[in-house]
Amino acid sequence: MASTVNSLPPRKVNPFAREAQRQGLYRWVPGLYLIQHYRLSWLPKDIFAGVVLTTLLVPAGMAYSVAAGLPAI
């Protein structure tokens, strides 16, 4: 009778795990691969995300500085 212990389903490959195995400069500069393979169709969404985060994080940082007793500049 065959053992069912070794009959596990195959694991799905994480596409980002292969990027971590790159050699040379790609290994030490994490964003280098993304910069070289950036799609211009991503740009509007990235700009929108940057604007949203800026409008949320700048006032929060100013509030923390006021709470710490520093000027909110």
Side-chain angles (χ1 to χ4, degrees):
M1 194 165 188
S3 174
T4 59
V5 174
N6 292 331
S7 62
L8 297 174
R11 294 185 349 169
K12 293 182 180 179
V13 176
N14 183 352
F16 298 107
R18 286 183 272 150
E19 301 304 328
Q21 297 172 359
R22 292 197 178 270
Q23 299 294 323
L25 201 56
Y26 288 113
R27 182 175 179 182
W28 300 106
V29 183
L32 189 60
Y33 180 82
L34 179 64
I35 290 171
Q36 289 182 343
H37 296 91
Y38 189 78
R39 297 180 189 163
L40 287 179
S41 62
W42 297 342
L43 189 61
K45 293 178 183 179
D46 286 342
I47 290 173
F48 183 72
V51 169
V52 168
L53 285 175
T54 301
T55 59
L56 291 173
L57 295 177
V58 168
M62 293 172 68
Y64 279 124
S65 68
V66 169
L70 299 171
I73 306 174

